Amino acid sequence: MTPLRQRAARLFALVGAALLLTSCSIIQIDSPLTTFDPAGPNADRIDDLFWLVFWIATIIFFLVMGALIVILVLFRDRDANSVREPKQTHGNAKLEVVWTVIPALILAAIAVPTVSGVFDLTGCDDDSMRVEVIGHQWWFEYHYPDYDIDTANVMVIPVGEETCLEMTSDDVLHNFWVPALMGKRYLVPGQTTLLRLEADETGEFFGHCAEFCGLSHSLMRARVEVVDKAEFEAWASAQQEPASLPAEGDPGYDGYQVFLNKGCVQCHTIRFDDSSASNILASDAFNGPDLTHFASRSVFAGAVLPGDDETYQAALADWLADPPYVKPGSFMPNLALTAQEISDLVEWLETTK
Amino acid sequence: MAGDNQVTATAERPQSTIFKRPSSTKGLWGWITTVDHKKIGIMYGYAAFFFFIVGGIEALLIRVQLAQADGEFLTAGAYNAMFTMHATTMVFLFIMPASAAFMNYLLPLMIGARDVAFPRLNALSWWIFFFGGIFLYSTFIFGTSLPPISPDGITGNLAPGGGPGGFGFLADSPDGGWFGYQPNAGPLYSPGTAMDYWALGLQIIGLASLVSSVNFIVTVFNMRTLGMRLLRMPVFVWMSTVVAFLLLFSLPIIAVALFMVTFDRQFGTLFFAPVGGGDPILWQHLFWLFGHPEVYILILPAMGIVSEVIPVFSRKPLFGYSAVVFAGAAIAFLGFGVWAHHMFASGITPVAQAAFGLATMTIAIPTGIKIFNWMGTLWGGRLRLTTPMLFAVGFLAMFTIGGLSGVTHAIVPSDWQQTDTYYVVAHFHYVLFGGAVFGLFAGLYYWFPKLTGRVMSERLGKTHFWLQFLGFNLTFAPMHWLGLQGMVRRTWQYAPGNGFESWNLVVTVGAFIIALSILVFMYNWYRSRRRGDASGLDPWDARTVEWMIPNPTPEYNFVNPPVVEKLDHWWHLKYTEDEEGRAVRRPEADQMIAELEHSELNPESPIHLPAPSYFPFIMALGLPIVFYGVIYHTTVWGKALIAIGAVVTLASLIGWGIEPLEEPMPSAHDDEAEPEDEGDADEDEEGADG
């Protein structure tokens, strides 16, 4: 090899090693939203497809970049005074065919798992459990038709079996995405879209609305709790229970009175079973999350609160004090509650297990 | 109209006493009434650069907000407005007019013509664009943006000042995304007038491109000099032609869609409103049926530029010229059949997803052909790594990355994970910044002598390139990772603890390095215009006929339009080949260059250039007046504005039709523009642009 070629080869190796090291050092899984830590068969299948394409693309990347660097090193004009000009090649029909056909073959190879993946992963099995997902600005509502449960922000599903999400929106486009379990799917007002979710391990998985849906799009998040079948049934029957309302003198009684008298009931439903009173049901047309089992959910306000470094009570108090400040554009208004009213409400809400 | 492009004396016509063609070609009026493709190109260029700076400032505001978790630099409303306006500005007010600047200035020169086919129409395009840009940006003064209204008529609430964060006043501008997805950008969820400014502003700007696309197509097919066959045209001309066809076929789609949005918002139609049986997904089909060809509208001119720059600085012909040309046409053709790959998550049927996935993959083939042919051009060349060449090679490298990540979007299930994350943001910035913007800078450095008769500083140019290259990769490479780690796009805040913080900080630092590199460029431009080295006629030893005329370009372009015998005509006049096939400079080359440099007009046979006109400016002025009226059409003065604007436009149409053909002859003095003269003219232009 000529010294020039040696230099080119050394440079190529060096740059390649540096790029490889950088790529390795950043591939660590540390985000609850990462797509690299699939926890179910659907996400697994997508992950496999991603890595297949990633490695093909990486090989092509290094070949092209390597060739480019080698060309720049080899053919850089080092002697401006030289009169020796390059050969005037105009093209090469064989090469044109080669670099048309080879990429076409690579793409054809990738196309096969792509198309089969599309058909296998779209839609749901007929016998899977249905959960209706309804998008609102800026929270997800979940309705379990088989159990007649209405909840929000935290979806609970059993491990090891397919759950079919039947999704629609009450207002604008939203997009339901829990990276560990499946890719995204829109929630379209006036239409129903399907998304199959399946987890093969229990745990809490993070999600996010992925379609820009207005002012507080960034504060529309989601959680999916995956539990074993028995735990799921226990959760479901607990959710079916009516609310137990505090009697006068019970903890939370004052907060409940605030809830009744400050207008919260215009939007929030509480289902209870008391022959002496009818249920408090918000109007069908407009409602916020069903609060019957509010405290059974680990997060609220679009799965945004409580944040990392705050307690449940403090976050709840902040939220009640000024919802539009926490969530710009919020349909929950600032009711100008006093500090006492807020702490009463927090106390009551904590009893709504 | 036909009279405009007569280059020889026309028969005398009776002079109108009411309408006179303007006579001054200097000063502010000279710029306002000009129909010279070069002056129009320069105005397009400065306006595009102005909007590049504005869009860049918007990007920096976004990056400061995202530099840390739960950022409170911008309010949510201001943030949404900034990402909407950043994209709208960069796509419609920067890259498109910047490409138009190159096409305007260079297309006639590269095909050996004295002007475009319809010079007044060309001026009309520019003024429509100019007023459209002002109209769109006047939203910051007049527009309003209010919280959403629920389907039951309940209004969302905003804390005073718009909630946590600053710059709340910026929120009163379009905030529904450059993609304007319905129904969020519709009347219910984006009340206020800001999104009307957006829809109608884009309507005006689109009209400018539509008009110029017709003009360029006619120019290329009818104005080529003798011997300039289609397959002897420079690749930049070819790509411009392809872009003109893309504009011609795609802009009517977005025009219709934007009118439907405007009707929904202003007149209560329900095209996209689910409450009335409208379909929000229909908007996405229409938008992306325009929007995907739009991507190629943005990138193909840059591909044309690097196809000019790489051969010149490799001192070799473009490898596989016809393959590069046909690949460009193929990309454009296929580009109309892939739009739904922006909608893989929208719930379209699996058959549609598979079909659009496969169609998207096929685009990689002609794109690959281009990349490999550029590398074939470099191979065996004598590479002079000047600033334009660095930008062209930078384009090649960065665009390859964007192309590879683009293929991953065609892998539909994989795209379900990546769509709407920062992975996509990374991808299209590698295509549009790493690709289009690097290509445009290559063109600016390469053709700067044609404007000024000077070359830009190489030292500053290389500083600019390396800073921009570094800043670009720091900004956009980590976004791939952020997206795959689950960071969703268009989010005002992200929660701590997701592993997003450190890379976001890197991204923000990178964005400021890009800003610094642009400052270096601006200084270089400013300085080189006055004090750059004189370029002479052919500073780069170039290949194409625009380098056969003195720099700066004389007003009449060519004394005698060249008779083209080969592809790369100018190179073959200077070089022959020895028996090995190596280029050998012809002994007569230097003499020929010297003669061309001092070629002068023959006073016996003067060149008649198209006369300036007031009417393009006036006609364009009427459009925004009408559209202001549409926004406020419920008020009396709104209706008055519609009437006034319509009268202005229609009256100027009549004036346009009956103004005389009189063509004042350029005096010999005007033709011999010194570099200093051109500098002064540029200053006037800046003044005109404000």
Side-chain angles (χ1 to χ4, degrees):
Chain A
M1 285 211 292
T2 64
L4 196 63
R5 273 163 209 253
Q6 273 176 6
R7 264 172 60 186
R10 267 213 311 273
L11 188 67
F12 182 35
L14 200 72
V15 171
L19 287 174
L20 205 65
L21 271 177
T22 326
S23 348
C24 290
S25 68
I26 58 166
I27 296 182
Q28 46 176 348
I29 294 149
D30 52 3
S31 165
L33 284 167
T34 185
T35 60
F36 290 136
D37 195 11
N42 301 317
D44 261 337
R45 172 105 179 241
I46 296 173
D47 195 50
D48 292 345
L49 196 52
F50 172 82
W51 285 110
L52 170 76
V53 177
F54 175 82
W55 287 118
I56 293 173
T58 304
I59 291 167
I60 297 172
F61 170 80
F62 278 110
L63 287 177
V64 174
M65 291 299 149
L68 187 60
I69 291 167
V70 168
I71 288 172
L72 291 177
V73 172
L74 283 184
F75 298 111
R76 182 169 178 188
D77 184 19
R78 288 191 170 70
D79 180 7
N81 297 320
S82 164
V83 292
R84 193 177 155 85
E85 295 288 354
K87 272 192 193 161
Q88 303 292 298
T89 45
H90 291 267
N92 183 320
K94 268 188 205 150
L95 275 176
E96 300 291 346
V97 172
V98 168
W99 59 48
T100 307
V101 170
I102 291 180
L105 291 177
I106 295 173
L107 289 168
I110 298 174
V112 176
T114 300
V115 172
S116 68
V118 169
F119 282 92
D120 291 349
L121 295 176
T122 303
C124 298
D125 294 341
D126 289 341
D127 55 352
S128 53
M129 182 181 83
R130 279 351 200 213
V131 177
E132 293 168 8
V133 181
I134 302 138
H136 301 270
Q137 283 183 325
W138 289 276
W139 56 284
F140 288 106
E141 176 183 353
Y142 310 119
H143 183 68
Y144 293 65
D146 303 342
Y147 297 87
D148 198 23
I149 295 169
D150 200 28
T151 182
N153 298 322
V154 184
M155 183 196 295
V156 181
I157 60 170
V159 71
E161 59 184 78
E162 183 180 293
T163 303
C164 180
L165 308 188
E166 294 182 341
M167 309 196 293
T168 190
S169 170
D170 191 41
D171 37 50
V172 300
L173 295 174
H174 299 283
N175 193 339
F176 186 81
W177 187 36
V178 181
L181 301 183
M182 186 51 179
K184 320 176 172 63
R185 189 71 82 231
Y186 280 14
L187 284 64
V188 184
Q191 301 178 17
T192 303
T193 52
L194 300 181
L195 186 70
R196 49 160 65 188
L197 281 196
E198 185 171 345
D200 48 22
E201 56 190 85
T202 59
E204 188 181 39
F205 300 100
F206 281 53
H208 206 297
C209 173
E211 188 55 63
F212 179 63
C213 55
L215 264 174
S216 277
H217 162 55
S218 62
L219 301 176
M220 180 165 174
R221 302 171 192 168
R223 291 290 163 88
V224 173
E225 259 173 44
V226 179
V227 296
D228 60 40
K229 186 74 181 167
E231 213 176 315
F232 176 77
E233 293 298 340
W235 171 83
S237 50
Q239 292 288 311
Q240 287 166 332
E241 289 293 311
S244 53
L245 297 177
E248 195 159 359
D250 285 356
Y253 178 79
D254 293 343
Y256 179 56
Q257 294 306 315
V258 175
F259 173 77
L260 288 179
N261 299 324
K262 281 291 179 177
C264 311
V265 290
Q266 284 174 17
C267 302
H268 293 285
T269 294
I270 288 277
R271 287 174 288 108
F272 61 93
D273 188 18
D274 185 334
S275 49
S276 66
S278 54
N279 285 352
I280 300 167
L281 292 176
S283 78
D284 270 351
F286 183 82
N287 53 15
D290 185 315
L291 297 183
T292 309
H293 297 286
F294 174 80
S296 72
R297 312 195 278 260
S298 57
V299 284
F300 55 92
V304 169
L305 296 172
D308 257 5
D309 50 354
E310 52 191 343
T311 62
Y312 190 85
Q313 290 89 342
L316 195 47
D318 279 351
W319 169 242
L320 294 170
D322 196 354
Y325 187 83
V326 176
K327 197 175 252 200
S330 163
F331 286 98
M332 181 154 151
N334 182 345
L335 293 171
L337 301 173
T338 64
Q340 182 60 45
E341 286 168 334
I342 289 170
S343 69
D344 288 346
L345 266 175
V346 172
E347 190 184 17
W348 169 65
L349 282 168
E350 284 199 291
T351 68
T352 58
K353 289 284 185 197
Chain B
M1 185 93 304
D4 269 0
N5 58 49
Q6 296 283 320
V7 292
T8 51
T10 50
E12 287 295 313
R13 262 207 180 174
Q15 298 275 323
S16 161
T17 47
I18 306 168
F19 296 101
K20 279 191 185 146
R21 300 288 284 237
S23 54
S24 168
T25 55
K26 298 276 175 200
L28 183 60
W29 278 107
W31 287 96
I32 288 177
T33 61
T34 189
V35 295
D36 177 358
H37 70 98
K38 297 179 289 298
K39 284 184 163 180
I40 291 170
I42 289 167
M43 289 192 285
Y44 258 120
Y46 275 101
F49 194 81
F50 170 77
F51 282 117
F52 177 52
I53 300 300
V54 174
I57 290 168
E58 287 159 354
L60 292 178
L61 291 174
I62 290 171
R63 285 318 315 171
V64 174
Q65 164 68 17
L66 294 178
Q68 51 183 329
D70 284 342
E72 293 191 356
F73 178 71
L74 299 175
T75 64
Y79 178 86
N80 293 347
M82 286 302 98
F83 80 66
T84 300
M85 289 306 287
H86 166 70
T88 304
T89 304
M90 290 306 197
V91 168
F92 294 101
L93 299 175
F94 163 51
I95 299 184
M96 282 177 81
S99 303
F102 281 96
M103 291 182 202
N104 262 292
Y105 198 97
L106 293 166
L107 219 58
L109 296 181
M110 291 176 104
I111 59 172
R114 288 225 165 83
D115 208 317
V116 293
F118 307 118
R120 285 186 298 177
L121 212 52
N122 201 26
L124 178 68
S125 295
W126 148 249
W127 288 115
I128 290 177
F129 162 77
F130 178 75
F131 289 121
I134 290 177
F135 176 87
L136 180 53
Y137 261 84
S138 69
T139 180
F140 281 99
I141 301 169
F142 306 121
T144 54
S145 205
L146 305 170
I149 301 168
S150 82
D152 325 300
I154 297 170
T155 304
N157 300 280
L158 266 182
F167 296 92
F169 65 92
L170 290 176
D172 273 331
S173 51
D175 58 355
W178 86 283
F179 44 90
Y181 273 7
Q182 304 293 323
N184 183 53
L188 216 47
Y189 303 101
S190 293
T193 54
M195 284 312 281
D196 296 301
Y197 279 91
W198 174 84
L200 292 169
L202 291 191
Q203 194 71 266
I204 301 177
I205 294 161
L207 187 59
S209 300
L210 193 59
V211 171
S212 66
S213 71
V214 175
N215 207 345
F216 288 142
I217 289 170
V218 177
T219 302
V220 166
F221 283 111
N222 288 299
M223 307 289 284
R224 280 168 291 138
T225 184
L226 214 59
M228 180 65 82
R229 294 191 205 146
L230 287 178
L231 282 176
R232 286 179 188 167
M233 297 196 308
V235 176
F236 177 74
V237 176
W238 260 110
M239 293 305 110
S240 303
T241 312
V242 170
V243 165
F245 276 104
L246 280 171
L247 288 166
L248 187 62
F249 292 128
S250 68
L251 281 168
I253 303 168
I254 193 68
V256 168
L258 287 169
F259 273 130
M260 289 162 90
V261 165
T262 302
F263 289 175
D264 270 10
R265 294 183 58 88
Q266 293 292 342
F267 308 119
T269 57
L270 299 163
F271 291 113
F272 305 121
V275 290
D279 184 357
I281 300 297
L282 174 64
W283 161 261
Q284 297 192 8
H285 283 293
L286 292 172
F287 182 81
W288 290 115
L289 193 46
F290 152 79
H292 202 79
E294 170 72 17
V295 175
Y296 302 117
I297 290 167
L298 300 175
I299 190 68
L300 285 173
M303 286 180 162
I305 290 171
V306 299
S307 301
E308 299 303 320
V309 170
I310 287 178
V312 166
F313 296 100
S314 305
R315 304 182 67 71
K316 279 179 64 200
L318 182 67
F319 197 88
Y321 166 84
S322 48
V324 172
V325 167
F326 285 116
I331 290 173
F333 187 77
L334 294 172
F336 277 100
V338 299
W339 76 88
H341 72 209
H342 296 269
M343 302 161 56
F344 282 151
S346 70
I348 55 175
T349 63
V351 175
Q353 297 190 51
F356 280 102
L358 296 180
T360 303
M361 285 183 192
T362 60
I363 293 220
I365 296 169
T367 310
I369 290 174
K370 287 197 162 229
I371 289 171
F372 294 130
N373 276 298
W374 288 323
M375 290 175 72
T377 310
L378 293 169
W379 179 269
R382 188 178 160 189
L383 309 182
R384 292 178 293 163
L385 297 183
T386 56
T387 308
M389 183 64 156
L390 284 176
F391 274 101
V393 172
F395 167 97
L396 186 48
M398 297 302 100
F399 181 76
T400 301
I401 297 174
L404 285 171
S405 60
V407 173
T408 64
H409 300 317
I411 317 303
V412 182
S414 186
D415 185 66
W416 293 337
Q417 289 284 22
Q418 289 135 21
T419 185
D420 280 319
T421 69
Y422 266 81
Y423 183 85
V424 178
V425 181
H427 157 72
F428 69 72
H429 279 96
Y430 267 86
V431 173
L432 294 182
F433 196 129
V437 177
F438 273 68
L440 291 171
F441 274 120
L444 279 179
Y445 281 96
Y446 178 62
W447 280 300
F448 183 77
K450 289 241 72 74
L451 301 180
T452 58
R454 300 176 185 279
V455 287
M456 288 180 80
S457 156
E458 276 291 300
R459 194 174 48 82
L460 286 170
K462 285 178 177 164
T463 311
H464 167 208
F465 170 78
W466 286 111
L467 273 177
Q468 184 173 314
F469 188 79
L470 173 76
F472 168 77
N473 281 293
L474 279 178
T475 307
F476 298 110
M479 286 187 186
H480 291 108
W481 176 246
L482 283 168
L484 294 170
Q485 284 285 72
M487 183 162 164
V488 172
R489 284 173 83 174
R490 300 161 185 148
T491 44
W492 163 59
Q493 290 183 332
Y494 52 90
N498 282 319
F500 298 158
E501 291 93 331
S502 46
W503 284 115
N504 267 299
L505 192 58
V506 172
V507 168
T508 300
V509 170
F512 278 92
I513 295 176
I514 295 177
L516 180 65
S517 77
I518 301 302
L519 289 178
V520 173
F521 167 78
M522 289 166 75
Y523 173 68
N524 192 0
W525 183 274
Y526 172 79
R527 183 185 166 281
S528 300
R529 259 182 37 196
R530 285 169 177 75
R531 288 186 287 149
D533 296 336
S535 69
L537 178 109
D538 185 17
W540 313 116
D541 205 359
R543 316 181 67 85
T544 40
V545 297
E546 81 271 23
W547 295 103
M548 291 176 68
I549 48 180
N551 294 321
T553 316
E555 195 180 356
Y556 47 81
N557 296 358
F558 297 89
V559 174
N560 299 303
V563 178
V564 173
E565 287 153 4
K566 280 180 174 170
L567 176 66
D568 293 339
H569 178 68
W570 174 229
W571 172 266
H572 290 293
L573 288 179
K574 293 180 291 183
Y575 288 87
T576 182
E577 287 173 24
D578 64 13
E579 62 279 5
E580 266 189 276
R582 294 182 184 280
V584 178
R585 196 167 172 92
R586 294 178 196 269
E588 67 272 24
D590 292 329
Q591 173 66 22
M592 184 175 54
I593 291 172
E595 277 171 18
L596 285 169
E597 185 118 47
H598 298 103
S599 57
E600 279 181 32
L601 279 183
N602 177 2
E604 300 299 308
S605 59
I607 296 170
H608 281 239
L609 291 170
S613 171
Y614 298 108
F615 293 106
F617 179 86
I618 300 171
M619 187 187 283
L621 184 61
L623 290 177
I625 298 177
V626 172
F627 282 11
Y628 278 120
V630 171
I631 293 179
Y632 303 102
H633 71 95
T634 50
T635 64
V636 174
W637 56 272
K639 293 182 180 81
L641 281 176
I642 294 177
I644 293 168
V647 167
V648 169
T649 295
L650 292 176
S652 61
L653 193 65
I654 296 167
W656 184 308
I658 64 175
E659 73 176 334
L661 290 174
E662 176 206 349
E663 292 159 357
M665 272 190 261
S667 68
H669 173 77
D670 279 356
D671 302 332
E672 297 289 318
E674 297 290 315
E676 283 74 18
D677 282 6
E678 186 65 25
D680 292 343
D682 281 355
E683 276 172 8
D684 289 343
E685 194 278 322
E686 281 168 327
D689 267 359

